[in-house]
Amino acid sequence: AACAAGEAGCAGGSANGGGAGGGGAGGAGAATTFSGNLLSITGSNTFRGGNGGAGGSSAGAYGGVGGSGGAGLALGGSSTTLTLGDTTGLNATTITGGIGGQAGTGLLRNGVAGNGGSGIELFTSGATIIVNANAIIAGGTGAASLGANNTGGTGGTGIFGSGLTIVNSGTISGGAGGAANGGHAGTFGNAVYLGGASVLELWAGSNIIGDAVAHSTDTLRLGGSGNASFDVSQIGSAAQYQGFGQFAKTGSSTWTLTGTNTTTAMTWSVNQGTLEVDGTLTNANLTVNSGSTLSGTGTLGDPTIATGGTLAPGSTANPYGTLTITSPLIFQAGSFYNVNISPSANSSVDVTGAY
């Protein structure tokens, strides 16, 4: 059974002959349900989910399963905006899932180690979570394994939910897997798990530790007002950012794409600010919309410069460099082409793709 907020789960019952009872799940560090409201958690605040209860022991058969850790914060309601931390950097807000409960011992086989709890678990749709620079959201640690042929619990997910928007300039981390302890170590938890119709927006300073797992209806956005860079090799089914169906650039900032990704099909929309492509991104369909700019000295496939959008080859480091296009380059009526010119050099576009 689950326990009250922030409490540890109850231990499972022991058994002399049959299998022992499983440990109870830990309670949430905080739980709230509200709709259409703004909630801010700033200052030096710490929320931690309750630890999972230990599995019961069995003198005759199988040990009990360890309970899962509780969520650091469980949130319900709808149309909620949750702001975590502030922008001063003076005080840290930390939300962490509880630790998984220890497996119970058994004569024939020990139980299964408990998994860590989520940092934040959303039971809502339409929510926005703003994680500021001094906020840390982390999944709880899985319980250690209990000897040979036993595996430690999986670390908890940093933020778990669907139908939500996450804006991150702080730290979101999965929880550590349980220690091997003579058996096998548990798996590190996902930093973010999105269940559909969601957005993960990264701002300058964003620190994602662990995988961000999404669905085809989810969007990865690069935004904010501060300039930053992103390595596109981190996108893909076996990479850190998995499953996203859409990619976008928003905000007044310049985000620079580095690295190489030639295998993952991506649809990008540049809606605000500047997207500077200095890496290799040949399997991308990219649209530059009105008021935004595509620049860079990398290699790119299939861009369309829509009405009011701008193509400006060259980069911050090499303003007179060349942007290479491996597919047809399309300019719609009313789009712009800006070139950097000096007495001895100019930026350019090399289009190698055929119509």
Side-chain angles (χ1 to χ4, degrees):
C3 297
E7 291 184 355
C10 306
S14 299
N16 291 322
T32 185
T33 300
F34 59 104
S35 300
N37 289 287
L38 304 177
L39 173 64
S40 296
I41 302 176
T42 60
S44 298
N45 289 291
T46 299
F47 296 86
R48 180 182 292 275
N51 297 336
S57 60
S58 173
Y62 305 106
V65 176
S68 297
L73 175 63
L75 183 64
S78 61
S79 302
T80 297
T81 298
L82 172 64
T83 301
L84 303 171
D86 55 43
T87 58
T88 66
L90 299 177
N91 301 297
T93 296
T94 303
I95 300 176
T96 307
I99 299 171
Q102 182 65 59
T105 57
L107 179 65
L108 299 181
R109 187 177 64 201
N110 292 333
V112 178
N115 298 328
S118 298
I120 298 178
E121 195 158 343
L122 276 293
F123 302 97
T124 183
S125 61
T128 298
I129 300 176
I130 301 172
V131 183
N132 283 317
N134 61 343
I136 301 171
I137 315 302
T141 302
S145 74
L146 202 61
N149 302 319
N150 194 261
T151 300
T154 299
T157 299
I159 299 179
F160 177 95
S162 61
L164 73 149
T165 297
I166 301 170
V167 179
N168 185 55
S169 57
T171 297
I172 305 174
S173 176
N181 195 28
H184 306 283
T187 303
F188 196 93
N190 294 322
V192 175
Y193 185 90
L194 302 177
S198 298
V199 174
L200 173 60
E201 182 170 324
L202 309 182
W203 287 20
S206 172
N207 186 22
I208 304 291
I209 304 173
D211 292 341
V213 179
H215 289 70
S216 60
T217 57
D218 296 324
T219 300
L220 178 63
R221 283 198 311 226
L222 308 178
S225 59
N227 300 339
S229 64
F230 184 88
D231 185 344
V232 294
S233 68
Q234 299 176 102
I235 299 172
S237 59
Q240 184 179 15
Y241 294 86
Q242 305 173 13
F244 289 93
Q246 302 289 327
F247 302 86
K249 167 67 182 72
T250 61
S252 60
S253 56
T254 295
W255 273 82
T256 301
L257 299 185
T258 62
T260 298
N261 194 319
T262 60
T263 57
T264 304
M266 304 180 213
T267 300
W268 279 86
S269 297
V270 186
N271 299 322
Q272 294 173 315
T274 299
L275 186 68
E276 181 177 307
V277 178
D278 289 343
T280 300
L281 194 65
T282 54
N283 200 17
N285 183 312
L286 190 148
T287 301
V288 183
N289 291 310
S290 179
S292 60
T293 299
L294 170 65
S295 66
T297 56
T299 301
L300 177 66
D302 206 14
T304 296
I305 316 302
T307 301
T310 299
L311 175 62
S315 64
T316 302
N318 183 12
Y320 305 112
T322 297
L323 179 66
T324 301
I325 308 295
T326 60
S327 297
L329 169 61
I330 298 174
F331 285 98
Q332 293 184 349
S335 58
F336 300 95
Y337 179 51
N338 290 349
V339 179
N340 297 318
I341 299 175
S342 77
S344 59
N346 63 273
S347 63
S348 63
V349 174
D350 181 13
V351 181
T352 63
Y355 284 91

